[in-house]
Amino acid sequence: MDSIFETQRQAHEEIERYEIALYSLLSRSQPTHEVRLQTEHKAAQVLSRVSTRVASLKAQYDDEDARKAEIDALTAPAQQGDLSEFYARLVKIQDHYNKYPDVAAGAFESELASLLEEGNQDGIDEELEEEDPVSLMFSGEEAYGKYVDLYANHTAYNNLKNITRRLPYLQYLDVLLATQNGTLHNELPKQTRSSKEYEIYIRSLHDHLLSFLKRTQPLIDIDSKHREDEAEFLKKWDAGEFDADWEDQSNKRVPSSEEAGSIWCSPCQKSYSKQTVYDAHLTSKKHVKAIAKQAASTEPPQNPNGAQTSPATFPNDATPWRSRLRNTALLTSLSASLLATLTPIINETKSNVERRFSLTAREREQELLEQTNPPPVPTNNGDGAGEEEEEEERIYNPLKLPLGWDGKPIPYWLYKLHGLGVEYRCEICSDHVYMGRKNFDRHFQESRHAFGMRALGLPNTKHFHEITRIEDALSLAEKLKREGRHEIFEQETMEELEDDEGNVYNKKTYEDLKKQGLI
């Protein structure tokens, strides 16, 4: 056992070394989202180690008895030349190294080096890819924390009982985004929100959002904010501010899906979901035995009329039922708070889902290949040459002109000639603004406009070129439909055919007479 003063000195040294390592991590260049997230997770590990050592130091400083005993042991002995304490500690050190002969001397140095390493810098084994522990935290849909994967929660939402309609995934994301204007899932009836299935769904949603927030923002103290929101909710619940939404259901027990419509058998003390199963069990040995036992007993049978709970036991069930309802309301409130924090990421997720809907199978495969083989990130060599090159490549562009083929701003006269300063807004593309006539004409064949037309149920043909308003597009589609019917009618009445005798008929009359066998 080391001296308590040596342990404190070592803890202070490690805390200082960790602070220097933390500064080194956060001062690095973070060109991509992946590099930034890796750096934040490493910084979170450093902060966790620092907090652990600080807590250990505080406990050692508070232990006055141990410190006093150590000081007494280190003071000069009463007899000169008494080295018993010295030899006793020397024996402990020798025993330790005899027991652990292969212990590493620089364990702390190697731990710091593993936290500060930036991957494969020497480039010796470029083909051997290192496994990234941060990427294993996210699924493929989450794309390293850029988007949130809510497909499982969407399926659970659509499987709830008594919902008005089943929502597609995009509309489900809109429902979650609407929480910033009010509470979560106000569109559901109160009977659904007080059911057991909804409690399971909202607990799963809360756990997933909390886990995603901790994975994407490791440097933020989410637990303390979570505890504050929970305390605020409990205070409002006790004050009765949620009575209009939840409390009126606390005195009514809603049966679960397994209990609804079941048939109760008093002798067997069991419920059956179907009448045929109930009739079949009446002739079983177990049922006959239960009837004989009930006849011999003097106690009245429970649930004689098929009620799920007897009137005597129902009031005792009100307290746990209200507690479960409070937990459901608490999880709903906490999920709404988490969704408000994740609003930008959910908006990005919605845009990504819309973009992927408009991609072809080949474009999706190409996108997956680009994600699995990202371009190499340029690294800084550490000398001043990289900074000088960045300063030379920095372009002066106060007018925010678009860049040309050489990476430099185009001339201002060319900018005015092509009309790149004119804005063209397209309502079909969700009010997206296109700069310049050329970009505006080109966007009618791009995926964004094609997705907007598909959402309206219209084909993206040349007839709808230059149409940017939804009302105009719908009216034009109706007009084209009417003209198409008129053209079919004219083709049937104006086209003339001749029979074998030389008689001339229009196409419709000729086909009718031929079907009847008259010609």
Side-chain angles (χ1 to χ4, degrees), residues 52 57 63 68 82 138 164 228 242 276 297 411 458 484 488 508 514:
T52 302
L57 269 178
D63 192 359
K68 186 177 183 304
D82 186 7
F138 302 99
T164 55
E228 291 176 2
F242 295 99
T276 55
S297 176
L458 303 176
I488 294 174
K508 187 175 184 304
K514 190 173 182 179

Side-chain angles (χ1 to χ4, degrees), residues 441-490:
D441 291 338
R442 189 189 303 142
H443 100 279
F444 286 103
Q445 304 302 325
E446 293 178 351
S447 59
R448 184 192 295 268
H449 192 81
F451 177 79
M453 294 293 290
R454 194 180 302 118
L456 295 176
L458 303 176
N460 191 21
T461 60
K462 63 180 181 179
H463 301 90
F464 295 93
H465 194 74
E466 300 286 341
I467 302 297
T468 59
R469 297 181 58 198
I470 297 177
E471 183 180 356
D472 297 342
L474 294 175
S475 61
L476 178 59
E478 188 66 27
K479 181 179 179 183
L480 291 175
K481 192 183 296 183
R482 289 197 304 268
E483 291 180 354
R485 292 173 183 169
H486 184 63
E487 289 176 0
I488 294 174
F489 177 75
E490 288 183 350

Side-chain angles (χ1 to χ4, degrees), residues 146-183:
K146 294 180 182 178
Y147 314 113
V148 60
D149 183 7
L150 295 171
Y151 282 100
N153 304 104
H154 168 242
T155 304
Y157 175 85
N158 283 336
N159 290 334
L160 292 175
K161 305 296 182 182
N162 301 323
I163 60 175
T164 55
R165 63 190 182 97
R166 305 187 186 278
L167 302 178
Y169 188 61
L170 285 176
Q171 293 188 14
Y172 176 71
L173 294 180
D174 289 334
V175 168
L176 298 182
L177 288 172
T179 56
Q180 53 189 342
N181 299 327
T183 56

Side-chain angles (χ1 to χ4, degrees), residues 83-141:
L83 300 178
S84 59
E85 181 67 23
F86 169 77
Y87 285 113
R89 299 199 177 198
L90 179 60
V91 168
K92 289 182 180 179
I93 295 174
Q94 291 175 347
D95 291 342
H96 174 78
Y97 282 100
N98 290 333
K99 188 177 181 180
Y100 306 102
D102 298 330
V103 64
F108 181 73
E109 299 293 338
S110 61
E111 181 183 2
L112 272 183
S114 64
L115 288 173
L116 294 176
E117 66 179 358
E118 299 184 20
N120 190 12
Q121 295 179 348
D122 49 7
I124 297 176
D125 297 329
E126 293 182 356
E127 297 181 357
L128 182 61
E129 295 184 359
E130 296 182 358
E131 187 178 8
D132 183 12
V134 180
S135 64
L136 300 178
M137 300 179 182
F138 302 99
S139 64
E141 289 290 337

Side-chain angles (χ1 to χ4, degrees), residues 341-378:
T341 307
L342 293 173
T343 297
I345 297 181
I346 297 179
N347 282 323
E348 291 292 332
T349 304
K350 182 182 176 184
S351 302
N352 181 58
V353 172
E354 292 176 348
R355 181 186 62 81
R356 291 184 61 187
F357 280 165
S358 61
L359 295 180
T360 61
R362 185 178 182 85
E363 290 173 340
R364 291 180 183 176
E365 292 177 359
Q366 184 66 25
E367 185 179 4
L368 288 176
L369 289 176
E370 292 177 356
Q371 290 179 359
T372 53
N373 300 319
V377 179

Side-chain angles (χ1 to χ4, degrees), residues 206-232:
H206 167 265
D207 294 343
H208 179 72
L209 294 176
L210 185 62
S211 171
F212 181 81
L213 201 59
K214 289 181 178 179
R215 285 177 284 148
T216 53
Q217 300 179 8
L219 295 180
I220 298 179
D221 189 6
I222 300 172
D223 292 332
S224 61
K225 175 70 166 56
H226 203 255
R227 288 191 294 268
E228 291 176 2
D229 294 339
E230 182 176 356
E232 183 179 358

Side-chain angles (χ1 to χ4, degrees), residues 6 24 55 57 75 96 133 143 186 191 245 251 275 283 287 295 302 326 329 338 340 357 380 388 426 486 499 508-509:
E6 174 60 22
S24 176
L57 269 178
T75 53
H96 174 78
N186 268 346
Q191 182 181 1
D245 296 333
N251 295 324
Q275 181 69 33
T283 57
H287 182 73
Q302 296 183 3
R326 186 190 65 177
L338 295 174
F357 280 165
N380 192 2
E388 293 178 0
C426 180
H486 184 63
D499 62 0
K508 187 175 184 304
T509 306

